[in-house]
Amino acid sequence: MALTLTARRTTAAAVALTTALVLAGCANPTDGGTAEVAATPGGRTTVKINTSPDQNRVTTGKVDSIAAEVPERIRKRGTLELVASSGSAAPLTFYATDNKTVIGVEPDLAHLVADVLGLKPRINTVSWENIFVGLDSGKYDAALSNITVTEERKEKYDFATYREDNLGFEAKKGSGLKVTGPEDVAGRTVAVSSGTNQEKLLIEWSKENEKAGREPVDIKYYQDDSDTYLALQSGRIDLYLGPNPTAAYHAATSGKTEVVGTYSGAGATLQGLIAATTKKDSGLVKPLADALDHVIANGTYAKVLRRWGLSEEAVTTSEINPPGLPRTNK
């Protein structure tokens, strides 16, 4: 069973983190839709990712004792209403080669959790901000969408963790840039998505630079990833800060960019964590955490992470509402 504030891995003032995802190929619709990823940072053992709509997902069985913990209104409904970002972010949540089937590590884990709870998963894709609007209104039961645990978010939401959260700075290939701390982005033009913990960290770094007498960060926002990458290639921006798995995936599949620095999603002294997110006191966080602990224990969780090349981001237990990204990155 998951407990609040259980032991967790932290980084003792570490800035750079080991790259969690190393890719060695790209999607090829002509062979059914596959991509090869390195199972470890060494890159010698590769895993072929299925990007076709025929997923053959990893499955597991219902656990009656955990299913009984689910609030009665959800049990009676028989479905688990889940929500994820509609932005295509391989290998987290993205569209298969048919451009309509939602696939990725997040949907796979959502299906596993629903299996344990004996519910049919219904994954709804919406814009990032509407994830939280939908949770607030009760339209959705939970979100599995690369959501970082933060102290601010804990005021409104409950969290059951299921993956480490590492961020990646992506630059044009051959840029010569390296990012290990705030001073490396001083005066640089950096793109980031609004409302994310990446934005919060970048704003804090910019403030630190100004306090130290350095130039602030020139933060830019774009509507979608294609606009961001066009800006990166044209030189309108120097860097793009986003989730490290998506940065590494894009760098490998495009061949035009590279990850030039990584950072914990919770700041310099705490390992960031990604979590299933529910409205506070909805009664769902404990069964979600218990379901996650069950699939971690029975090995199906590891199989899912391995098939998406994310084994390096595995956790050993699901924590309920652990310490998250501080309100200020100190």
Side-chain angles (χ1 to χ4, degrees):
M1 298 296 186
L3 299 176
T4 304
L5 303 183
T6 54
R8 60 198 169 279
R9 284 171 285 179
T10 63
T11 56
V15 176
L17 296 172
T18 302
T19 301
L21 179 64
V22 184
L23 290 118
C26 59
N28 182 2
T30 62
D31 66 3
T34 61
E36 289 187 353
V37 302
T40 66
R44 292 187 178 182
T45 303
T46 59
V47 177
K48 184 168 284 190
I49 283 180
N50 173 15
T51 57
S52 77
D54 300 317
Q55 282 296 289
N56 297 316
R57 288 187 169 96
V58 178
T59 62
T60 195
K62 179 183 178 182
V63 178
D64 290 337
S65 60
I66 301 176
E69 299 172 358
V70 175
E72 185 178 5
R73 69 184 187 283
I74 299 176
R75 293 202 312 270
K76 285 184 175 180
R77 187 205 304 148
T79 62
L80 188 61
E81 295 295 331
L82 299 161
V83 63
S85 174
S86 57
S88 188
L92 302 175
T93 300
F94 64 113
Y95 293 102
T97 50
D98 64 355
N99 291 320
K100 62 181 182 181
T101 303
V102 179
I103 64 173
V105 68
E106 310 278 32
D108 274 11
L109 290 174
H111 276 77
L112 267 188
V113 167
D115 284 348
V116 175
L117 300 179
L119 298 169
K120 180 179 179 180
R122 290 181 49 179
I123 299 176
N124 304 273
T125 55
V126 300
S127 61
W128 173 258
E129 65 275 9
N130 280 320
I131 290 176
F132 301 97
V133 172
L135 290 174
D136 292 344
S137 68
K139 184 176 182 180
Y140 309 121
D141 300 319
L144 277 81
S145 191
N146 203 58
I147 298 174
T148 303
V149 180
T150 75
E151 290 304 305
E152 183 176 1
R153 288 173 182 162
K154 279 163 63 177
E155 291 185 358
K156 294 181 65 176
Y157 307 101
D158 284 323
F159 295 94
T161 62
Y162 61 85
R163 221 181 65 244
E164 286 190 351
D165 174 34
N166 298 320
L167 310 180
F169 287 90
E170 194 174 358
K172 188 175 180 179
K173 197 167 186 177
S175 69
L177 296 174
K178 293 295 177 185
V179 179
T180 60
E183 64 278 5
D184 297 318
V185 293
R188 296 288 182 186
T189 303
V190 185
V192 72
S193 295
S194 178
T196 61
N197 68 312
Q198 297 97 281
E199 178 193 29
K200 182 177 175 62
L201 284 166
L202 196 59
I203 290 172
E204 290 291 339
W205 276 19
S206 186
K207 290 177 181 177
E208 287 181 41
N209 281 331
E210 289 188 274
K211 287 179 181 178
R214 297 185 293 260
E215 290 185 64
V217 182
D218 183 9
I219 301 174
K220 298 293 185 184
Y221 301 91
Y222 292 89
Q223 291 297 317
D224 53 50
D225 286 350
S226 60
D227 290 341
T228 302
Y229 289 124
L230 282 173
L232 196 61
Q233 288 303 310
S234 67
R236 295 197 304 276
I237 60 173
D238 300 308
L239 296 157
Y240 173 40
L241 176 59
N244 187 55
T246 60
Y249 191 100
H250 178 263
T253 55
S254 72
K256 296 179 180 180
T257 63
E258 59 186 343
V259 177
V260 297
T262 56
Y263 198 78
S264 166
T269 59
L270 183 67
Q271 174 59 58
L273 293 169
I274 298 297
T277 306
T278 73
K279 187 176 181 180
K280 199 160 193 68
D281 300 323
S282 69
L284 191 56
V285 70
K286 188 177 186 298
L288 286 174
D290 289 345
L292 286 162
D293 276 342
H294 179 77
V295 297
I296 289 170
N298 74 12
T300 52
Y301 165 84
K303 288 180 181 179
V304 166
L305 264 62
R306 187 163 57 248
R307 82 186 288 247
W308 295 104
L310 292 175
S311 297
E312 292 292 312
E313 294 195 347
V315 295
T316 58
T317 188
S318 178
E319 301 176 57
I320 294 176
N321 296 330
L325 174 66
R327 291 183 177 277
T328 57
N329 182 29
K330 302 296 183 185

